[in-house]
Structure formats: C-alpha cells, structure tokens
Amino acid sequence: MLRIAIDKIDSLFDAIAEKQTLYIPVDREDGAAEYKKYESGMKMSNSLNTLRSAKDFFFPQTENLVEFKMEGKQIEVKDIREESEDFVIFGVRACDARSFSILDKVYLVDPVDSFYKNRRDHGVVVSMACTRPAETCFCSAFGIDPTAPEGDVSCWNDGSYIYFEANTEKGKAFVDSISSLLEDGDASSLENVKAETKRILSLLPLSNLSTDSFGGDKLNEYFNSEKWAELSESCIGCGTCTFVCPTCQCYDIKDFNTGNGIKRFRCWDSCMYSDFTKMAHGNPRISQLERFRQRFMHKLVYFPANNNGEFGCVGCGRCLSKCPISMNIVKVMKALEVK
Amino acid sequence: MQRIGVFVCHCGTNIAATVDVKAVAEALGHEPGVVISREYQYMCSESGQNLVKDAIKEHNLSGVVICSCSPRMHENTFRKAAAAAGLNPYLVEIANIREQCSWIHKDIATATEKAVILGRAAIAKVHLNAPLTAGESPVVKRALVIGGGIAGIQTALDIAEAGFEVDIVEKEPTIGGKMAQIDKTFPTLDCAACILTPKMVECSQNEKIHIHSFSEVTDVKGFVGNFSVTIKKKARYVDETKCTGCGLCTEKCPMKNVPNEFNMGLDNRRAVYIPFAQAVPKVATIDPNYCMMLKTGKCGVCSKVCSVGAIDYKQQDKFIEEKYGAIVVATGFNPIKLDKYEEFAYSQSPDVVTSLELERLMNAAGPNGGTLLRPSDKTHPHTIVFVQCVGSRCDDSKGKPYCSKICCMYTAKHAMLIREKYPDTEVYVFYIDVRTPGKNFDEFYRRAVEQYNVHYVKGMVGKVTPKSDGKLDVQASDLLANEQLHIDADMVVLAAAIEPDKTARPLATMLTTQMDTNDFFTEAHPKLRPVESATAGIFLSGACQGPKDIPETVAQASAAAAKAIGLLCKNSITCNPCVAHSNELMCNGCSSCEKVCPYGAITYQDKEFRMPDRTTAIRRVASVNPAVCQGCGACTVACPSGAMDLNGFSNSQIMAEVDAICK
Amino acid sequence: MQVNDNKEFQPLIVAFCCNWCSYAGADLSGTNRLNYPTNVKIIRVPCSCRVNPMFILRAFQRGADGVILCGCHPGDCHYTSGNYFTRRRMTLLFSMLDFLGIERDRTRVEWVSAAEGAKFAATMNEFTEAVKKLGPNRRLEDLRCKKQ
Amino acid sequence: MQEAMINKAKQLLADGTVNRVIGWKKGEFVYDITPAIFETAEELDADFVYNEFTAANVSKYLVKESKKEGKILAFLKPCDTYSLNQLTKEHRVNRDNIYVVGIPGGPKLDAEKIKAKGITGITGIKNENYTLKIETVYGEQTMPFYEAISDKCASCKSKKHVTYDELIGEDGDVLESNRFDMVEKLENMTAQERYDFWRAELSKCIRCNACRNVCPACTCEKCVFDNPESGVENKAASNSFEENMFHIIRAFHVAGRCTDCGECSRVCPQNIPLHLLNRKFIKDINSLYGEYQAGEDTTTKAPLNAYTTDDCEASIVHERGVE
Amino acid sequence: MNKNLQEQVIRTSGVNVLKCMRCGKCSGTCPSYDEMEYHPHQFVYMVEKGDIEKLMNSKSLYKCLTCFACVERCPRNVEPAKVVEAVRLAAVRQQGNNHLIPDQIPDMLDDDLPQQAIVTAFRKYTK
C-alpha cells in the first residue's frame, strides 16, 4: 500500500499545495479544529473532527448567484458564474465523507445545481479513518464504518505512516500526482488499528442506537406523534444544529441591494428559523414544534422515503455537542423509537 | 411604480452661478421613478409653483422633489402648492442645493456633482414617503404672558380686548417693568408714567386679565393649544386680597436702610415696601432678606399697624397650575453690569452713573424729587459727559457684539432735557456713530445739537479719573479735530449696553424655544415670522427678542397679541403629522420608548392579538398620542425591535438617503 | 468614497443634522458663504436623537469614510432632552467602535446651534481633514457595496 | 440539592401553588442537560436533574410560560434572578404567574473545557474533592475541577438572589468579580491589535443566532435582523461588515439591559467571547454614568433611557485609553 | 500705497485692522497722544489704507510706550499697539537705517535709566 511517514507529511502538503489549493484541518487557539487553506508550516489537527463540517467546500454558507447592475433606469443582468479551481480537502472523516453523497442526492439530481456541481467536479476528497471516536459519535447507526471512510482517496494512520488508497478516477489521478513522494509499504499494522477502533466503537454510549424503526413507511405515525410537543418545548429556534450539520442542505435566496445594483445570493437557511420557507401567504410551519419536527422528520423519514432508505444524518455528533440546550437527534430518535 | 417630478431652481444666480442646474435636472431625470425633470429661474415664484402644480396634474405625479433653497425656507410653500394640485403635501421633498451647496462651494464641477447627489437622496426618500394627514387638537382659550413690562401689558390688553382670558406672570411685586422707571420718552418727551400707568390700571381692572405679580413660571408642559404651566407665587408675606395699599406699614417699618431697587439703589426703602406709588397691584411686599420679624422673629410692627390684618409672616410659596393655548414671552431686558469697564471709574465714583440711574436722578419721583444733583455731594452739576456704546458693539471677549439700539436716542433725550432745565450745564456726548433711524428720530437728535447746543464729539472716552477736587477728568479723543481732550466733568453718564433678562435662558429651556448666543429669543423667521418662536404656540414680545425702543416694543407686543389671538380664535389646530407610531405587531411593550418621551405621548394597552402561530395572545403594546407627540424620534432609537417609527423621517427613508448619498 | 485619478483621497462624509439647530447652522454657514468641502453631505433629521446607530453603521457599509452627528447644544434641544439621549447613545456606540478597533476619528458628535454657521463650517473642514488623514474606511466597509 | 428541589417541586405541585415546574432534564451523557417543564411528580422523579452541568438560564422561557394558565415554579440560580427581574421591569413576564425558588448557583462546568483537554469518549464525570474523575472508553482520566469551570461562572458577579418567593439554602452576596479584566486588557491594546482580535473572533461567526435566541434580553417579538422591513435584515454573516453590524447592534440593543448572565458566550458554537461586547458596555456605563446592574431591581431607569445634564461628551472616547 | 509693506505689517502684528469701528477709544486712552504726529487710531486706519511709509518715517513710532492701554480698552480687540510695534519693526528692518548711534547715547543717560534699557534700545533701533 502507498504510504508516507508522518514526519514527512509536511513535504507532501507542500507538494500538493504547489499545484492546487489544499485544505487541511488545523487546531485553533480555542482547541477546536477547522479547515484552513494550507500554507507551509501548518500542522494538521489530530482532533477527531472539525467544528464546522466539510460541506462548506461544496455548499458554502453564502454564495452569489447573479448580479443586476443598475445605471439610472437601465438594468443589466450579469451571470457571475466562474469555473472553480481544483482543490483538495485532506483529512475528511468518514461521517463528513458520507455527507457528500447525501448532498449529491439533492444537488446532482435533475435539475442539477450548477454551482454545487462546479465545486464537486473540481474538489478531491481525501478522507481519513478515525482512531479515537468520541461519545457523541453514532455514524455506525447509519451504516458508516469510520475505519473505512469514503472519498476519492481514503487514508489511514497507524501512528507512524499515513496510507493511501484511491477509490475513484479522480482519486487515482491525485494519488498518481503525488506518487513520487509515496513509498510502497506493508499495511498490516492497520488491521490492529482498525480492530482497536472497532472495539472502542462498541463501547460508545450511542453504539446501540438503532435506526430500524425510522424510514419512509411510518410517516403519518411519526408526524402525528405526541412526543414532538415535549421534545421541541425547549428549542430556542437558533440555527446551530443546522449550521454545524454536514447534511443540512436548505438554503434561502436573497437579494442584496448594494446601492449600484443587486447581488442575488443564497445562504444556508435553517428549518428552525421562524421565517423558514416563508411565502407570500405566510409560513407553512407556524410554530416551533412544526419547525423542530421538520428537521428530524426530514432526516429520519422524508429523506429515506425519497432516497431508497438512506437517512439524512451521518451521526457526526456535532449537534450533540453544540446545541445550546442539548436537544438533538439522538434524544429525538430515542423518544420516538418504536420498540 | 412611483411617478416622481424633479424641479431644479436657479434661484436667479444664487444656485445657477455655481451649480450647473441644467446638468442636475438632466442627471436626475435618469433616476428610477422620475418621469419629469425640469429647471426654472425661481421655483418659489408663482409661475414656478404653477410649473409644479401643472406637472403634478399632467403627469399624475406621486412624488415631488424640489432642488432649491433650504427646506426651512420654502418647504411649506411647495407643500401648499402640491396640496393645491391635489397631491398630498407630505409627498414633497426638498434637496437643499443653495445653503448647503451653491453658497458654500466654488468649483462648478464638484458643486454640480454634490447637487446631483443631494437630489438623488431626496428622490430616494420621496420614493418611500407616505401621504400623511394632520390630526387636530383642541385649543385652550386662555393665554399666558410672561413678563409685565410695557410689552407684556400691551400684549395682555390686546388679547383681553379680543375677548380671551389672559394671565400675566411678573417676577417683581408690580407690573410696569423698565418703562415705569423712565422719566420721559423720546422723541416726544412725554412723561412715561403718564402713558404707562393708565395701561397698568387698565390691566388690573380688565376682568379678563389676571395678574400674578411676584410670581415665576417653574414648569411648562404640553404643546401648542394645550400648555400646562406651573406658576410659583412667591410668598410676599402680605395677603394680596386684604391689603389695601394704604402704605402705612411701609412708613412704620423700622428697617430703613434697604437699597431701593426701583431707584437703582440711589436711595433706600423699608423692609416692607410698595415699589412705587402707582404700583399694580398696589400691595405691600415684605423683603425677607431684611425683615426682622422673618429673620429673628422679633418686631411685627407692620402687622400691628395694618388695620386689615393683611400681614402674614407664615405665608409660603404657592404653586398653581393652569392650562393655556398660547404663551407670550415678554421677559424684557436689563442694563449690563459695568464691572468690566473700570476705565470709566463707575465703581470708584458715585458721580459716574448709568443712563437708567440718570433717569431716576431726574425723575420727579426719584431720590432727588426731580432735581438733578450730583450723587456724591448733591450739588448742581455744571459739566456732564455722556459716553456711548459702553459694552455694546464689542468684540465677544469685551462685551456685547450687538448695538443696543436705544442709547443714541435716550442720550439725546437726556442731553436735551438737561440743557433745557439747566442751561448753565455744558453737555458733551462722545459718540462713535449716532444712529437715529426712526420716525422723527434724526430731527430729535438735530434739535439736541442745533437748538440745545449739546456738544457731540466724534470719538470715545478712553479714561475717567476721579480727581481730588471731586471733579472727574475725562480723557477722550476728538477724532475730527484730531486732538485728545481732557474735560473736567461733574458727572459722567454711561450708556450701558442692554442684555436679555437672566430669567430668559431657563425659561427658554422650559419652553423648548431657541435663543441666540446673546440669550435673545430667536424668532421663527427673521423677516417673515418676527414675533413667533420656532416652537408653535410660543410668541415673542418686546426686548426679549432683541433691543427695542418703546414704540417698537409696543408694536411687537400688539403683533404678538394678534398672533396669539389668531391661535386662540381657533377651536382646534392642525397637528404635525410627522409623529411617531408604533407597529403593534412588533411592539414588545418594554416601556423603553415611554421612558425617553419628553412629552408623555406614549401609553400602553393590553390588546388581544392573533399571533403568527394562529393562537391569540394578550400583549402589552405602545400607542402614541399624535396630538402630544412632537416628532423628535427619541423613541425610535430606544425601541430595540424597530416597532417605533417616525412619519416623514422613517428608518427606511433615512437609510434610503444614506444609501443614495453613499452610492 | 470618491477617488479621482491621481488626486488626493476624497473622503465621503455623512453629516446627520438636527432640523432645529445644526441644520439651521449649516444653512447659516451657507447664508454667510462660509466654505466647507463638498465631501460633506447632510441628512436632515428632526432631532439628533432620531439617529439610530444602525444609520451610522449603514453609512460606513455603503461607503462613507466618516460620520458626524450634529445637534443642538445640551440644554437647547428643541425637544428638551433629545440630545441628552444622543450623547449617551453615541458615547457608548463610539466607545464600542473604538473597542472593535475602528478608528476613533471616523465618528464625531458636535453641538452646533442655529447661530453657529461659522462653527458648522469650521467643524466640517476640520472633520474632513481628520478623516482624510485616516484614509479610506477599510475596517467597516462592505466590499459588496464598492462601485466597480 | 437535587433531592431537595424535587421534594420542593412535588410539594408545590401537590398543594396547588403551581401547576408546572421549569427545571432541567437529564440527557444521554452526564453533561447534555436540557431545560424542561415537568408537570407531575413522576416526571420529576424520572428526569429532573440539578448538577454541575445545569448552566442553562431558564428565565427566558418564562416570557412564554408566564402567560399561560396557572402558576409555574421556576428554580432560579442567582444570576438567573437578575434576568427575571429585568424581564419583569420590561413587562415581558407576568411575575405574578411565577413562583420563584432561589437555588444556589455554580460554579457550573463546561463539557467543552473537558473535551478541549483531549478527553473524549466520556461516559461519566465525578467531582471528588475538586478533582474531576472522568470515565471514558479510553480509561479513567482526571483534571482539576477549576479548569473545567464555565467562563460565565469563573467571573461570577453575584451569589445573591434579587427576586424569589422562597429560597433553598442560604442566600449569598454580590461578589467582587474580575469580570472586566479581559475588557480592560483589550482596551489597553492598540486599535490595530483590537481590530485584529475582533476580526479573528467575529470572522468565526456562522450567524446561527444562538447568542441572540438564548439571550434573556433579546425577547423582541421580531428581531430587526429577522425583519425584512427593517433594512438591516440578514440571514447570513456574508462578510466582515455583517458580522460587525450584527454583533454591535445586538450589543447596543441590550446595552443597559444585559445582566451579564453569560449565556451568549456559553452557547456560541464557535466559542466567540461575545460577552466581552456586553461587558464593554457595562463597564462604560458603570464608569461614565455610575454603577448600574441591570436586573438588580425592577424600577430604576435603564442608563440609556436616562441622562443627566452633565454627562460626558462623546469625545471622551477620543480622550481615554489607547488609540 | 505699498501692498507688500501693508501685508508685512498685518502679518507681523497679527491684527485684523478691519475689525476697527473707528471709535477712537485707543486715542482717547493713549498717554502719549500729544507727543504723536499720528495717533493710535490713525495707525490702524493708515495700515488699513496701506499708508505705511508715512508712519514709518514719523517720529510717532518711537513715542508709543507700548503701555497697551489701547489694547486693553479697544472694544473690538483690534490691538493698536501691536500695529504700532509692527510698523516699528518694519522700519527697524530697513537696511542701513540705524535709528540710534552710539554717540547719541551719553546724552540720553541719566541715573534712573536702567542699563538694560539702553542695551535693549540699542539692539532694537540699530541694524
């Protein structure tokens, strides 16, 4: 298997960054990790995951769609789309790696979202297998194996070396482009690492979380559940869960009047917000209960109903640690679960 | 879609000389929503206004922008024109391209560019203007006159004559003011008392007029048509209703050495006193600073001699509250203090006096019974020097910057009277300019020179030095003879500058009216609204607005009365529609707005609302009384949710202006 | 911001003036032909207390390089107390902008009476110079609003 | 304490004083505690929790709850009572419908601080003599208790309950706190340093509105930033200006009303020290207009709704501190 | 009229002669009035007109005691003494015009005159 010694990883990053933009997770001063554009000397974070998910690379929080220039009474419409540059995201965890395929199911089906596709086509996802899962992790519940992450290229770390395996054409091309820096080596030590990780996974408090009772077939039952009132009662209606979530994909389109013209942009929206999907007649979901229900019904019921049973959650656990009032999908699943 | 008309005024060359008005009209014509853009010589002229009116009708305009002089000048003119053409007057906005553009800039290119930007801002604002309708509020049919001098008296008489109740608040124990202290009046030389006292009596006898003497205004609330005023009736320790004004107490009081302010301190009065014989109300007043009974509890002579038992040592200040539709300010003037002008030896020699002191010295009711005697030795003065412009026309650091206006004439009067009564007395008047515009004024001055042989010397007195022989060495320059004079004078009379009364400034704050830097009240317009303050319902009478002689004061007093009567005649007045209003759906009921409202215009109610989640809820929401609100906008910023907004200056309008300017 | 080719930086100054004192003071400086730069653009408000901090930030967002707020002298407010509230609000707002590292000289409150035409012109000259020295507003700018 | 609280709640439910109880409900882990409303003794027994992780300030929920039928029992920590008082002052809650039981406050712990030590896979946390014994799937770990104290409790301003109907335990005192230290440190930096500091912090903002939505002073029916009519509405922190605008205006809107409960910083998913903005206003207000503690009572005028004729001029900003 | 000289005098004096309202109080107050050919108010007026040379050639220049009475009492803050001083400076600065020669000094001496005054005067009036 192709590998590189961990102490030489910097030279690998330098080599990649020379050809294209490279993003790696780095530690911030406050201890949280975030993706940063690689510059020589940056150290890759060892933490389990980044505070914000990796979806920003393909679906950024705000993005301009079109511009209208106004000169007196004349209006000119400007298409501002540009071909994206090639880039590499390094160190994506299995949960986030899976989230891209969920986003693809939304944005790459007809009608294809050209802005999303443009980025997707130019981005190489290099994922990294987990070794120290946290108590908030529950990716296994969604069939994700954190020791075998998806992505264009998968990587493993045995403490001394990082091993590479290309999964796609794009991935192969990428590995080829850096092959001069890699060596072929024995990957047997990885088996122990994977086994240990799996042992830990089985000890995690959420290891027994089951998705069995969710999916598209019990829509009405869940929709009408009496539990929603109690579950949503303490929700403060902020957007934290949706904004840290790697799979939340809703956006709003807004116009910004610059004084000289209009910039039409889209930005992440949150179903927790009171003006979510507000239309001319008003808002279809008028209470926080309905908005709260929407988020979880979407992930656990509507999404699998439309996508062959695939759930709209990857169990990354970000919402578990970030919700201001500690209400989250796990608590919802456990409360709604039909035993 | 808006249909906006833009009209750019040349203002003759006032604007057109520095702003390319054609280019402005052209540029603004391309703005979104503008359907017509014209320029014209004088937009405010009748034909200019017709241009606007015709365009409104012809193009069915939904908004009008006039690029012209300051909105403070002609906003109302154009609003009225719009209204006449059927457009809501509040759909008119003014871009100030004269005072704030053409007059301050010299470069045509940049001034034109700025004019276009100001025009754009006005267009951006008018896009968001809403038609406003003025509400109405009732008028209390009663007027308050603050100050009981000749100005206040005349105003009160005129208002009472028209059939309205009037209250006069006078801080002294009697009305009459400065005119009561004056001996003769120019240019007719008739006796001031003879023409003033009948008016004072008329005031006291007119049943519509109520005099609050020895009283002060302590608080003013409310607004035009509906002021609520608190008046402090200071304790005079004499029951006004009982005192007959017999004056016995003022003769028996053992405290004899109280400086008599009516005679400018040139003689003494008692601790209980009536300022002068013709005082109105003719009621005694006890001066608590000197009365032994009030200070030590020992005496009580006045109480013993008073046959009607009017003396009341226990009297307290009393506060009364009254409602008025209009308030007339007539607080008058005082001569300035002369301690800054020691070169004239005012504090060194009793023979250096102010003109007002001279009035008392020459007055039959004055300290010398009308015979002019030197204060120092009571001898007849043979040489008298008058010094003009003492403290007037000065650099700010040296005195008052303005001309006190009355000094030239009263000095001519004094000189003439002295020469007539004492032909052996030489009179010198040192002047810078002799200013005598006024009917029969210059003739009067010439008479002093030609008929009475008063020596008018062009020049200024530099120094007055008291000499050991009791004379005063007056050192002065005679600019025409180009020589320095030394005159041995017996008396020197200083024409001290006049200044507004000290009570005017705090009163202005209570009334929320403006004053200039000299503490004269500012009129709403220097030419077109000279007797009104900028605050609706507050009128200005007499010298509180600027230096004036008696005829001018009386004229203004009557003018102010006419304006007040015009207001009081109405049953209700139209309110300013640019007032705050609360969007009840967004209001939190937090009371922030209420706490910053200076008028108490905001109240709260519990109302039932249908909430976004289709439940009903009782919520506490603010509502604004549009008749009370004056439209300052303090509440709009105190309100965190933006529920409170201001008509005519809404958040969105101001932000649109900001955007247009910063574009 | 207006930048003419090769010419010195011309800041855009937004001046909020209360209708009763400062706007009249600005008119007076016009009546007396007292010059101040065209950089200054005045917005009339009924009282300085009408000025919401949001307006000030808005001006910076849209391209202003300096914002000055003028009102009646304390004690002379046409509405009795408006400028006292202004004084507290703006003191705190400016202190906050300073706390965030925004240049202090970009904001100012000045009391100008209706009689102080000369002071108005002098203040505007002085403020424009001060902002000129700071250069274009970068720390509170919104790049979207830059004219391309 | 938890025991006493449950008993008190049961008693007040039983005697009809209240029909609901607002408190905290236990979660999946030891630290993920959710504010919740309990209606029966059974619910209390099953889920009510009060421990080192019950940091959430429940007073804001009372805006809605106090308008409902019947009285609600609210367990309030000292800092929470300030929030309630402020809400009462602003007529946002119906105090008559709330039965306040004052309970001793912190120090509360912040799970993020434990995780920041690299401790993960947490299955249990015990406080033994101010040493935290943390059970994890990777084995037991320890850390000093004080290192895990949440920021809001580390600079606690008061242990006194300013409003209550009943107390469990002793009432405390207003404390001399060090809460302005960081503000002062920033004030003493250069403008460029301050700018860089705040740019680094505020650029993290994802505009999730957690700070606003959790803030007991932000109870507007509709926030200006959510209202398209307001002209400043914005859903995303599109650029540095929007980030500044939102946080400056939010701080300004709560200036003189913020009780310094620290919830904004506690809930910020990006760990932005938002409370520093509020504390800057509090510090300025204290030094310029006299000591003022929002929520201390229900009658004093808020400093921005009041004035004195001899207040300092805005130019004081130019005259003090570091340029 | 000499524009350059006028500007020099106005600049060095720092006086705005246009503020004068021609009241003559300076001359009314001047203790050296009778000694002077041109009086304080004339200094101000002639500087305004630009009639500087006449003043420079006049002995009045050296009669002003610089007592500042005119400055103190001028209602308009015109400060005539500063104008006189500025004209004096203009005269002193003229090349080659020594207004005091050492030979004159012994005649001027008396017991009350401080030596410092002689030195100052010499410095002031010679080039």
Side-chain angles (χ1 to χ4, degrees), chain B residues 284-531:
Chain B
T285 304
I286 296 179
D287 185 338
N289 294 322
Y290 293 94
C291 172
M292 291 310 289
M293 189 62 186
L294 290 171
K295 283 170 76 177
T296 66
K298 284 175 199 145
C299 182
V301 170
C302 50
S303 176
K304 277 172 214 144
V305 301
C306 182
S307 56
V308 293
I311 306 292
D312 175 7
Y313 299 115
K314 296 222 162 60
Q315 206 175 59
Q316 299 279 321
D317 291 350
K318 208 170 90 191
F319 290 87
I320 54 173
E321 204 179 306
E322 189 69 66
K323 295 231 176 243
Y324 301 100
I327 298 178
V328 183
V329 183
T331 45
F333 72 94
N334 278 305
I336 59 165
K337 281 214 163 63
L338 292 176
D339 45 5
K340 261 170 127 180
Y341 310 100
E342 258 324 289
E343 62 267 33
F344 299 122
Y346 178 71
S347 59
Q348 296 159 42
S349 167
D351 297 335
V352 181
V353 298
T354 65
S355 299
L356 192 54
E357 286 163 4
L358 183 72
E359 291 280 355
R360 296 317 300 159
L361 288 173
M362 290 169 66
N363 192 291
N368 301 331
T371 313
L372 178 59
L373 297 173
R374 262 164 50 121
S376 59
D377 55 8
K378 306 282 179 202
T379 59
H380 173 59
H382 293 281
T383 306
I384 300 180
V385 171
F386 285 87
V387 186
Q388 298 292 82
C389 300
V390 176
S392 298
R393 308 174 65 190
C394 286
D395 194 76
D396 281 336
S397 57
K398 297 278 176 93
K400 303 294 177 187
Y402 49 85
C403 166
S404 294
K405 199 172 186 179
I406 54 176
C407 326
C408 285
M409 286 304 290
Y410 69 59
T411 299
K413 174 190 78 180
H414 289 153
M416 204 183 280
L417 289 172
I418 292 168
R419 288 285 298 157
E420 179 168 75
K421 221 166 164 188
Y422 312 104
D424 62 334
T425 302
E426 290 299 323
V427 175
Y428 296 86
V429 177
F430 285 88
Y431 70 93
I432 306 172
D433 303 286
V434 179
R435 296 178 168 177
T436 55
K439 191 173 168 184
N440 294 328
F441 280 18
D442 206 62
E443 297 92 316
F444 185 78
Y445 153 58
R446 291 315 307 165
R447 235 163 70 216
V449 178
E450 295 167 24
Q451 202 172 323
Y452 290 95
N453 211 4
V454 177
H455 307 300
Y456 268 77
V457 186
K458 161 79 182 166
M460 190 64 181
V461 171
K463 199 162 71 168
V464 176
T465 320
K467 301 203 302 183
S468 51
D469 62 359
K471 297 250 182 196
L472 299 158
D473 173 35
V474 178
Q475 180 185 324
S477 65
D478 180 337
L479 293 177
L480 297 178
N482 202 10
E483 62 180 3
Q484 196 174 57
L485 302 176
H486 282 270
I487 298 170
D488 272 355
D490 297 309
M491 280 183 76
V492 171
V493 184
L494 306 176
I498 59 172
E499 64 180 358
D501 193 81
K502 292 285 178 234
T503 57
R505 167 81 36 192
L507 185 65
T509 306
M510 278 187 260
L511 295 169
T512 70
T513 50
Q514 262 95 61
M515 289 190 133
D516 63 20
T517 46
N518 300 311
D519 281 8
F520 286 114
F521 281 88
T522 307
E523 58 281 12
H525 188 285
K527 293 167 193 72
L528 306 178
R529 295 172 68 193
V531 301

Side-chain angles (χ1 to χ4, degrees), chain B residues 20 38 107 155 166 176 201 265 353 403 430 441 444 564 570 625 639:
Chain B
D20 181 348
R38 296 279 305 271
D107 177 57
T155 303
V166 196
V201 173
V353 298
C403 166
F430 285 88
F441 280 18
F444 185 78
K570 296 179 185 161
N625 179 346
C639 175

